[in-house]
Amino acid sequence: MMPTPEKPPARKPDKPFYFNTSEHLLRIERQRATNLCEFLQALQTCPDDSIFQHTFRTLQEHHFIRHGFSNDFAHWSLSACHEPVLGEQLASVDVREFTAIDGLRGRIVEIVDEFLQSHPRSGSRPGHEPFYFCAADIVVLPTSFVANSLTGFLDGLNQVSVHSIHHHFIEARLRLHRMSNDFSQWLEEEVGLPQAAEAIEHIDIYTTTMEGVRLQIARIVEQVLDLGPRPQ
Amino acid sequence: MKSKDERATAPSSLASSQTRAQEAEPEAVASPAPAVRTARTRRSDRQLPASLLTPPAPPPPPHLDDYQSIIGQAQVDALRFLARDLKGKTLKMVNSTAVGGGVAEMLNRLVPLLSELEVPTHWDVITGGNDFFEVTKAFHNALHGSPYKLTKAAQEIFLMYNEQNRERLQFGEELVVIHDPQPVGLIRSRDKTPASWVWRCHIDLSNPNGQVWEFLRPFVEQYDAAIFSSQSFARQLPILQYLFYPCIDPLSEKNKELPESQVQKVCEEFGIDRSRPIVTQVSRFDRLKDPVGVVQAYKLAKKYVDCQLVLAGGGASDDPEGAAVLQEVKEAAGNDPDIIILDLPPWCALEINAIQRASTIVVQKSLKEGFGLTVTEALWKGKPTIAGAVGGIPNQIIHRLTGVLVHSVEGCAFQIRYLLTHPEFARSIGVSGREHVKENFLITTNVKRWLLLFRILNEAKSRRKAPG
């Protein structure tokens, strides 16, 4: 249940919200796995960038899928290894529960390790195709949108690319090292809207597209604006 | 990259370059126009419409703003922001052909767009005699896994022409990109230039002929980075490796939006009945595209669902093997009036576009594939697509999310039945497939990747130069 957004205080944010975006260039890494045993080993040794790529980043690459796609590890377990139990378990890993790659890697390794202990024969069975570990070089870019007010924020939100939404809403956790996102942080700290910030944080990214996420955030902000006088 | 758009034109800077491909261009034009062959007995003698007998004039290349309505202003802005820090820095592309083939087609669109972003991009084409191109053609096939014995003479021919081109070409740019194996030896000029050097490999190196790969590998390892079209095409190398998916141009004749009247006109010309479901495969008449398997799948599906099958391709008029495959397809089709087989010349991009748009389902049941740009084209048109899980196709089709992957004739037949009887599901994968292309496989995304790579290599070079 989403908290009801509150009436906004008549306060102008001290700091504007700068909408940025990030662009990624995919690198092909050395690790590859042809079965689940190799997969587990590679998960333990691959660079942090690879874990980021196949979990956080792949959500951006596949932002248009409403449901049925969670991360590359889950997808490979199901489509190449035909292991639906493992696929479901890996798909249930919510990247937003992690503020550092270490914790996320640990959770994925734990799931695969436990699965292989209970299904030892699955470990050496070759997958239909190998899993190729990739990573990404990231370049953060400005956009032309800067919000000095809540209405300006809504305007920018509606016009930036979905890459920008992903950058501020999903990737931000690793930057902030806290269970939040850039939008919520700004709304709470600069505009004094903790309930709207919390409502945004509760949006389920795995049952909607990134456009859907944008719409839900916009709706929450619009609701706040409609409830009271718009900040000057 | 195998798709061809003979309407593509090289930039004017290439006008004086003498290339084998330019010599070869009229060959495609001069080929006798193939007849439209259809299994419908009443239409078996139908010839191509007169308008298709000669290639049309090439349209002017689009500008960046022309893509705004497709990718959105925010994405166009991102390209401009990315290019801002590269303003004035120069880039050189080198390949072996100015026209014909997917690489030239892609460069024809990419080079003007990069230059428009104020990243001046020069495109040079290497020259060579027939002996050189015979060797490189053999290398190409060997790198795809064909048996080949590498001789000393072949090595000498390869090295001699690379040396000739190295002496002829200047490398004053900040980034030099060498496309495919033919000019790979130009890397020997690296020490004379301050540039970063990148090898862009468009072919599948997953199972290369060992002798040829071991001959080429020492050259490749001298580059700063290599770029492949799919993770599965790459080799283990001691240099950085990047993934650039091939791309399509949404404004090209083959992919641009078409008015309904034009789609209808093309269908009428080819005897395609739009009141009934249309299942289409677009590809050369090549056994690796399994056109006979498609006919078999259609026949299995037809027991349960009404549909027509359109097999639209080329390559049968100037390739003996293509002609043999076409004959096999006609025999498999028998006298079924609902199987329409079209052997089209390479400049019929607009007609292919119309046929894809008229289709209810598009099939690409390849047994072996490069990246599979015909799949990209179908997905871009929002068509529910069934394809073999080979080559780069799984990069494009996420099973049951952006299309359907199959591994057999029977699987293909079932998916035809399923998609024709579940239009909502078919529509949903079509919508996601188009979004997948928009995000990952358009020329604008390719422009972005080149800009990103240029920035990343520049920054790495600056870090290396910085004291301490």
Side-chain angles (χ1 to χ4, degrees):
Chain A
M1 184 86 179
M2 279 188 189
T4 310
E6 66 277 64
K7 183 176 177 176
R11 155 180 155 195
K12 192 177 166 157
D14 290 336
K15 292 181 196 162
F17 188 91
Y18 292 94
F19 284 93
N20 289 328
T21 187
S22 54
E23 298 295 348
H24 305 73
L25 191 63
L26 269 177
R27 284 197 318 266
I28 304 167
E29 293 292 308
R30 292 180 159 274
Q31 288 87 356
R32 68 182 58 178
T34 59
N35 59 40
L36 285 171
C37 280
E38 291 177 9
F39 182 56
L40 177 60
Q41 197 174 11
L43 282 170
Q44 290 164 326
T45 57
C46 70
D48 281 358
D49 286 358
S50 287
I51 301 290
F52 173 79
Q53 168 60 32
H54 294 296
T55 52
F56 278 86
R57 240 290 286 168
T58 196
L59 281 174
Q60 181 181 325
E61 267 178 50
H62 302 102
H63 65 79
F64 47 85
I65 295 175
R66 188 176 301 277
H67 58 83
F69 190 90
S70 176
N71 59 66
D72 293 335
F73 301 137
H75 182 68
W76 183 73
S77 301
L78 182 63
S79 66
C81 299
H82 308 292
E83 295 290 0
V85 173
L86 180 61
E88 284 179 12
Q89 288 172 340
L90 287 170
S92 74
V93 176
D94 184 343
V95 294
R96 296 198 310 158
E97 289 173 8
F98 299 91
T99 57
I101 291 294
D102 260 1
L104 178 56
R105 183 201 297 268
R107 179 70 190 122
I108 292 165
V109 166
E110 183 183 37
I111 289 172
V112 178
D113 194 20
E114 282 177 9
F115 178 82
L116 286 179
Q117 283 183 31
S118 54
H119 301 79
R121 286 184 186 174
S122 298
S124 56
R125 194 182 305 137
H128 172 68
E129 58 177 350
F131 187 91
Y132 299 93
F133 284 78
C134 290
D137 288 337
I138 301 171
V139 174
V140 177
L141 297 171
T143 72
S144 49
F145 296 97
V146 181
N148 290 297
S149 65
L150 205 51
T151 46
F153 177 78
L154 185 59
D155 185 44
L157 183 73
N158 283 328
Q159 293 191 63
V160 293
S161 69
V162 288
H163 295 187
S164 176
I165 306 288
H166 187 276
H167 174 79
H168 288 298
F169 190 59
I170 297 178
E171 287 180 29
R173 297 175 128 57
L174 300 179
R175 211 177 327 112
L176 300 171
H177 293 293
R178 54 181 280 198
M179 303 292 266
S180 186
N181 62 81
D182 293 337
F183 299 140
S184 292
Q185 191 179 33
W186 186 77
L187 288 170
E188 182 172 356
E189 293 178 7
E190 297 299 324
V191 196
L193 296 172
Q195 287 183 29
E198 196 184 338
I200 288 171
E201 180 58 19
H202 278 85
I203 293 170
D204 184 353
I205 59 171
Y206 290 105
T207 55
T208 187
T209 62
M210 204 53 65
E211 278 297 345
V213 168
R214 184 210 303 266
L215 283 175
Q216 288 187 49
I217 298 171
R219 203 171 297 142
I220 290 166
V221 176
E222 282 165 354
Q223 218 174 331
V224 172
L225 286 169
D226 287 343
L227 283 172
R230 295 186 178 199
Q232 297 300 305
Chain B
M1 295 171 74
K2 293 189 177 71
S3 71
K4 291 188 176 183
D5 183 352
E6 298 297 333
R7 298 176 194 195
T9 51
S12 55
S13 63
L14 282 172
S16 60
S17 301
Q18 190 170 2
T19 70
R20 189 185 71 129
Q22 280 172 315
E23 290 158 10
E25 187 189 19
E27 186 181 295
V29 178
S31 299
V36 176
R37 297 184 178 90
T38 155
R40 296 173 183 221
T41 43
R42 65 183 182 280
R43 293 195 174 100
S44 59
D45 295 328
R46 179 189 283 244
Q47 297 295 307
L48 276 179
S51 59
L52 302 185
L53 294 179
T54 53
H63 294 281
L64 192 58
D65 283 339
D66 297 331
Y67 295 92
Q68 188 268 335
S69 62
I70 296 169
I71 61 172
Q73 189 60 47
Q75 284 297 318
V76 173
D77 288 346
L79 291 175
R80 294 195 196 283
F81 275 120
L82 263 175
R84 202 172 51 183
D85 290 350
L86 294 169
K87 192 172 176 178
K89 293 192 187 301
T90 52
L91 191 161
K92 186 195 285 289
M93 301 278 185
V94 184
N95 79 322
S96 63
T97 171
V99 286
V103 178
E105 183 182 345
M106 182 268 292
L107 289 174
N108 263 303
R109 296 299 175 121
L110 182 66
V111 169
L113 288 172
L114 286 170
S115 296
E116 188 185 333
L117 285 162
E118 297 184 78
V119 181
T121 303
H122 309 132
W123 176 11
D124 279 324
V125 177
I126 58 165
T127 57
N130 284 342
D131 50 351
F132 177 62
F133 289 106
E134 277 164 21
V135 167
T136 57
K137 174 74 178 167
F139 279 16
H140 178 94
N141 292 338
L143 289 170
H144 273 291
S146 300
Y148 177 70
K149 175 136 183 66
L150 179 64
T151 63
K152 186 88 179 151
Q155 293 179 37
E156 283 169 1
I157 289 168
F158 183 87
L159 294 174
M160 181 189 74
Y161 281 107
N162 265 271
E163 280 305 297
Q164 278 185 11
N165 281 289
R166 206 163 71 77
E167 284 167 20
R168 186 177 62 85
L169 298 172
Q170 303 291 316
F171 298 102
E173 295 79 3
E174 278 86 1
L175 177 62
V176 176
V177 181
I178 304 296
H179 291 261
D180 281 333
Q182 299 94 328
V184 72
L186 297 179
I187 188 65
R188 286 179 168 176
S189 283
R190 182 199 166 113
D191 291 344
K192 296 179 188 167
T193 74
S196 299
W197 285 66
V198 172
W199 186 54
R200 172 63 172 106
C201 180
H202 296 271
I203 61 180
D204 179 354
L205 288 186
S206 58
N207 184 30
N209 174 290
Q211 285 183 336
V212 174
W213 175 240
E214 285 310 311
F215 172 65
L216 296 175
R217 192 163 58 90
F219 294 110
V220 173
E221 289 181 350
Q222 294 175 58
Y223 285 80
D224 293 290
I227 300 170
F228 291 92
S229 299
S230 167
Q231 306 91 315
S232 61
F233 295 177
R235 307 291 304 162
Q236 292 282 347
L237 290 167
I239 57 174
L240 285 170
Q241 298 191 60
Y242 288 97
L243 178 58
F244 279 33
Y245 295 120
C247 60
I248 58 167
D249 186 342
L251 299 177
S252 69
E253 294 293 279
K254 209 186 283 179
N255 296 301
K256 68 183 185 184
E257 293 291 330
L258 293 179
E260 170 58 26
S261 57
Q262 195 157 12
V263 175
Q264 182 62 30
K265 180 170 168 279
V266 170
C267 287
E268 283 170 9
E269 280 176 351
F270 292 137
I272 300 168
D273 175 5
R274 295 191 70 198
S275 68
R276 295 163 56 218
I278 302 163
V279 179
T280 299
Q281 172 157 305
V282 174
S283 64
R284 286 177 292 117
F285 291 103
D286 178 333
R287 289 193 183 89
L288 293 178
K289 310 296 180 190
D290 200 15
V292 171
V294 177
V295 172
Q296 291 166 341
Y298 153 84
K299 287 190 169 181
L300 286 172
K302 186 83 185 247
K303 292 178 188 170
Y304 304 93
V305 286
D306 178 42
C307 58
Q308 303 158 86
L309 175 65
V310 179
L311 291 167
S317 58
D318 53 2
D319 169 18
E321 190 177 325
V325 174
L326 177 60
Q327 189 55 37
E328 289 167 18
V329 172
K330 289 168 78 176
E331 282 166 16
N335 57 4
D336 185 334
D338 284 334
I339 300 179
I340 300 162
I341 301 166
L342 305 172
D343 180 19
L344 299 171
W347 55 81
C348 284
L350 199 132
E351 288 71 26
I352 294 288
N353 184 349
I355 291 168
Q356 287 169 325
R357 287 183 188 278
S359 301
T360 319
I361 293 172
V362 173
V363 175
Q364 186 61 56
K365 208 200 131 333
S366 299
L367 303 173
K368 191 164 181 179
E369 190 57 81
F371 185 72
L373 281 175
T374 52
V375 171
T376 326
E377 291 161 11
L379 295 177
W380 176 242
K381 289 160 187 120
K383 295 299 164 185
T385 303
I386 301 168
V390 293
I393 289 175
N395 284 122
Q396 304 183 61
I397 292 195
I398 306 167
H399 186 53
R400 295 186 64 79
L401 293 177
T402 62
V404 184
L405 292 173
V406 294
H407 306 83
S408 64
V409 166
E410 292 76 10
C412 185
F414 176 78
Q415 295 298 349
I416 291 171
R417 284 162 55 191
Y418 189 84
L419 292 180
L420 289 181
T421 52
H422 295 77
E424 264 310 300
F425 174 71
R427 194 194 63 80
S428 74
I429 60 172
V431 168
S432 292
R434 180 177 165 93
E435 287 298 315
H436 196 22
V437 175
K438 185 173 162 187
E439 179 68 35
N440 297 296
F441 311 124
L442 291 187
I443 180 81
T444 43
T445 311
N446 207 14
V447 171
K448 186 167 69 185
R449 289 186 182 119
W450 284 111
L451 295 172
L452 281 165
L453 180 69
F454 203 170
R455 281 179 64 131
I456 287 162
L457 292 175
N458 267 350
E459 284 163 16
K461 198 162 37 175
S462 302
R463 278 197 302 272
R464 283 198 300 270
K465 278 186 188 164

